[in-house]
Amino acid sequence: MNSLDSLFVMAPAGVQTRWASPENPSASPGRGGETNGGRKGRPCVKLAAGECLVLASAENTSGIVRRLWLTIDHRIPRNLRGLKIECFWDGAKRPAISAPLGDFFGTGLGRNVAFPSAFFSNPEARSFNCCLPMPFKRGMRITLTNETAFDLNALYYEVNFTVGDTLPATALYLHSHWRRENPTQLQQDYEILPRVAGRGRYLGCNIGVIANRRSYFKIWWGEGEVKIHLDGDSTQPTLCGTGTEDFIGTAWGQGRYDHPFQGCNFADMETMRYCFYRYHGPDPVWFHHNIRVTIQQIGCWAPESRWELSRAGRPVYHAGPGRREVDWAVNQEPYGLFERQDDWSSCSYFYLDEKENDLPALPPAGERIVGLED
């Protein structure tokens, strides 16, 4: 049976559909649209500074969160990074998902841009969608917290889920992890996903880069290779890519484009800010004991940019082991790879056989937002 054939199959016994929204916050049967006699009395809510709102919850039941949709009245960098979404599975005290609103929904650097992808989308740059299935065995809770200093006047949302699903023993929990390094450390690979123990599937990530124009002008920053350390890999990984733009399925630099599983949904070559994504749908990345995902910060000078770099008055180091400074008087190569320090942030996604993880907590909103509107 293919995926379309399943559309006409009767639901399993006991499985019921629920929608949580401002018109029915509890997603209770027969309780939708009660305000104003059912004539669109409560389509949205306010979210005051510091307030935490439960978007959806379920207790003492199994189920699957099937879709998240959300929009706000001011889709600006401060809000996209300052609002925090969290998901808790089966009564866990620590969230499996804890990320800034925009980054979780596939948009980095607080940039509100229209894009489609297989897992996330932002139609017309007006709303945020996620269709990753999120199974739970005994209950779930999804919250949104306003960690900015400003009130949000209009929050619209829908959490579409089913309850009573019979889940296989192999069902995994969805997790997400956000982090930022500003700047990255010289010759130390940026960790997209720090080491996680357990069994599961890595789904991919979206990444935001603010290139360091002060030190490197507008010289290409994206020669770093993605490395995925699987199941006990130490120094060298099992999976290794060939370059940053190669990682997202393009080549020889990257501009703005969309694809279901890979793309660059924001590319500003003037300010040197880029947001891009790679989701492992057709190409699963399984792990059986642990996983760690990194990417290098390596740039490339070309004949037209070599002059700028050589006269910047700052040390430039060859890409490679040790810390070998480029001697411009001796090195006349028209092209060369060099180590960089830039502002990197990322949101990664993975399924895990545990409802909690031991990854670092989400940094405060001030650290997440700084520099986005410069």
Side-chain angles (χ1 to χ4, degrees):
M1 180 181 294
N2 63 40
S3 59
L4 291 180
D5 290 341
S6 66
L7 295 176
F8 59 77
V9 175
M10 187 178 297
V15 176
Q16 299 178 331
T17 299
R18 297 287 184 264
W19 289 5
S21 75
E23 292 284 16
N24 190 356
S26 65
S28 299
R31 298 294 302 274
E34 291 182 319
T35 306
N36 194 34
R39 304 302 297 170
K40 197 167 183 175
R42 194 174 184 263
C44 65
V45 294
K46 298 180 183 296
L47 192 64
E51 183 181 359
C52 177
L53 176 70
V54 176
L55 299 180
S57 65
E59 296 180 354
N60 303 315
T61 182
S62 61
I64 303 173
V65 177
R66 310 235 176 210
R67 172 181 176 265
L68 299 177
W69 168 85
L70 186 150
T71 189
I72 56 178
D73 54 345
H74 294 298
R75 298 174 293 278
I76 57 178
R78 180 195 72 210
N79 288 338
L80 298 193
R81 272 281 170 87
L83 294 170
K84 175 179 68 176
I85 187 167
E86 294 190 315
C87 299
F88 302 78
W89 310 128
D90 293 351
K93 298 189 183 311
R94 286 173 53 90
I97 293 169
S98 183
L101 174 69
D103 297 79
F104 174 77
F105 282 98
T107 301
L109 301 181
R111 300 294 153 178
N112 183 45
V113 294
F115 74 95
S117 75
F119 299 156
F120 305 95
S121 63
N122 187 343
E124 302 182 84
R126 297 176 188 171
S127 65
F128 307 97
N129 293 270
C130 170
C131 62
L132 284 172
M134 308 178 194
F136 53 92
K137 299 174 183 177
R138 297 189 305 278
M140 62 85 177
R141 180 165 55 94
I142 302 175
T143 65
L144 187 70
T145 305
N146 184 353
E147 295 190 330
T148 77
F150 302 89
D151 295 343
L152 194 66
N153 293 318
L155 164 64
Y156 298 76
Y157 66 90
E158 273 187 23
V159 181
N160 309 129
F161 61 102
T162 52
V163 293
D165 299 82
T166 299
L167 301 174
T170 53
L172 303 169
Y173 298 96
L174 183 66
H175 292 244
S176 180
H177 180 64
W178 184 91
R179 65 186 310 273
R180 181 185 190 184
E181 282 187 22
N182 179 24
T184 54
Q185 299 303 300
L186 198 65
Q187 294 183 305
Q188 292 186 21
D189 295 355
Y190 173 80
E191 284 190 311
I192 297 170
L193 179 62
R195 186 181 184 277
V196 172
R199 186 176 181 181
R201 176 176 179 174
Y202 176 67
L203 290 179
C205 63
N206 67 75
I207 295 175
V209 174
I210 303 176
N212 184 347
R213 289 179 294 163
R214 176 173 297 181
S215 296
Y216 312 117
F217 310 99
K218 295 181 181 179
I219 298 173
W220 175 238
W221 50 270
E223 291 298 327
E225 297 177 344
V226 168
K227 299 180 178 182
I228 301 182
H229 298 253
L230 297 174
D231 300 332
D233 288 343
S234 55
T235 305
Q236 301 303 125
T238 295
L239 310 180
C240 186
T242 62
T244 306
E245 75 275 48
D246 308 345
F247 169 64
I248 60 170
T250 184
W252 307 105
Q254 64 189 61
R256 172 78 170 87
Y257 77 99
D258 297 312
H259 181 274
F261 296 101
Q262 56 205 20
C264 182
N265 50 11
F266 185 81
D268 188 333
M269 298 178 189
E270 181 63 30
T271 64
M272 295 297 285
R273 296 179 181 223
Y274 295 80
C275 302
F276 49 99
Y277 59 92
R278 167 76 181 277
Y279 302 130
H280 300 278
D283 57 327
V285 178
W286 305 107
F287 57 97
H288 300 276
H289 303 288
N290 49 66
I291 187 172
R292 177 174 176 256
V293 184
T294 68
I295 187 170
Q296 301 162 323
Q297 290 73 64
I298 295 176
C300 177
W301 75 72
E304 63 273 16
S305 57
R306 182 185 183 282
W307 184 90
E308 288 183 301
L309 201 60
S310 65
R311 285 158 178 77
R314 301 180 183 87
V316 176
Y317 300 99
H318 289 281
R323 188 163 293 189
R324 300 178 297 117
E325 186 173 346
V326 178
D327 185 341
W328 298 107
V330 175
N331 189 304
Q332 300 298 317
E333 295 296 326
Y335 295 90
L337 300 178
F338 66 99
E339 302 284 353
R340 296 180 57 115
Q341 291 179 274
D342 297 294
D343 180 350
W344 283 66
S345 54
S346 60
C347 191
S348 57
Y349 312 87
F350 58 101
Y351 284 107
L352 191 66
D353 57 354
E354 297 289 342
K355 62 184 179 181
E356 295 184 357
N357 61 66
D358 59 358
L359 293 167
L362 188 67
E367 295 180 22
R368 307 195 305 258
I369 294 170
V370 64
L372 294 188
E373 298 179 298
D374 293 348

